[in-house]
Amino acid sequence: MAKLIVMFKEQTIREVHLGNETLKIGRDSSNHIHLENPAVSRFHAEVYRQGYPFFVEDKGSTNGVYVNDMLINWKVGIKDGDRITIGKHTLVFKAESTDHPDKHQVSLADIDGTIAMDGSKAGRKR
């Protein structure tokens, strides 16, 4: 089962296992991961599974969500070892081997470049 390791100043605060439920992160105490920090919005972000990949989504926070030091503008797929920064907290995503797709499957997120497709079957009805 995948998990998030919640860290503050490089010290582990806790580990949260991820299932099929949406995990809510923010300053409000009703969130699954409650981060008491003025730089964190009340309902800052969510982490959830959508098919194979897990995603982190900014829920309109004031200070943003960073994945591997890159500001995201909505949501992004996360992979093993990715570092999510919210305020002064870092959440490290750890995937288990059962969370990875079959080694023969390729997702569009894994492809970097041009995709060539066979157009000979385009427009045919089944």
Side-chain angles (χ1 to χ4, degrees), residues 3-5 8 13-14 27 38 41 49 52 57 59 66 71 91-92 94 96-97 102 105 111 120:
K3 64 183 174 182
L4 286 175
I5 301 170
F8 182 75
I13 297 173
R14 67 189 267 212
R27 199 176 67 241
S41 295
R49 183 177 214 147
Y52 149 66
E57 180 176 335
K59 299 306 288 180
Y66 293 79
L71 179 66
L91 294 82
V92 180
K94 291 291 184 183
E96 297 294 326
S97 59
D102 182 274
Q105 291 180 332
I111 298 172
S120 64

Side-chain angles (χ1 to χ4, degrees), residues 8 26-29 34-40 89:
F8 182 75
R27 199 176 67 241
D28 192 89
S29 62
H34 172 224
L35 302 176
E36 191 57 51
N37 184 291
V40 177
H89 292 79

Side-chain angles (χ1 to χ4, degrees), residues 1-6 14-26 28 30-35 42-50 54-59 65 78 84 86 91-94:
M1 178 179 283
K3 64 183 174 182
L4 286 175
I5 301 170
V6 182
R14 67 189 267 212
E15 293 185 8
V16 179
H17 291 276
L18 302 172
N20 292 324
E21 316 281 310
T22 297
L23 184 84
K24 298 180 181 200
I25 305 165
D28 192 89
S30 67
N31 288 291
H32 299 102
I33 298 179
H34 172 224
L35 302 176
R42 288 180 54 232
F43 302 101
H44 201 105
E46 292 180 350
V47 174
Y48 53 89
R49 183 177 214 147
Q50 194 171 37
F54 281 89
F55 286 87
V56 61
E57 180 176 335
D58 187 328
K59 299 306 288 180
V65 175
I78 51 177
I84 302 163
I86 297 176
L91 294 82
V92 180
F93 178 73
K94 291 291 184 183

Side-chain angles (χ1 to χ4, degrees), residues 62-123:
T62 301
N63 293 314
V65 175
Y66 293 79
V67 175
N68 300 327
D69 298 321
M70 299 282 294
L71 179 66
I72 66 170
N73 60 6
W74 179 39
K75 70 177 181 177
V76 68
I78 51 177
K79 61 186 181 318
D80 188 56
D82 279 350
R83 298 173 68 84
I84 302 163
T85 304
I86 297 176
K88 295 186 178 189
H89 292 79
T90 301
L91 294 82
V92 180
F93 178 73
K94 291 291 184 183
E96 297 294 326
S97 59
T98 57
D99 295 318
H100 295 289
D102 182 274
K103 65 181 179 181
H104 299 292
Q105 291 180 332
V106 177
S107 74
L108 291 177
D110 296 329
I111 298 172
D112 186 23
T114 303
I115 301 172
M117 299 180 74
D118 180 4
S120 64
K121 296 180 184 176

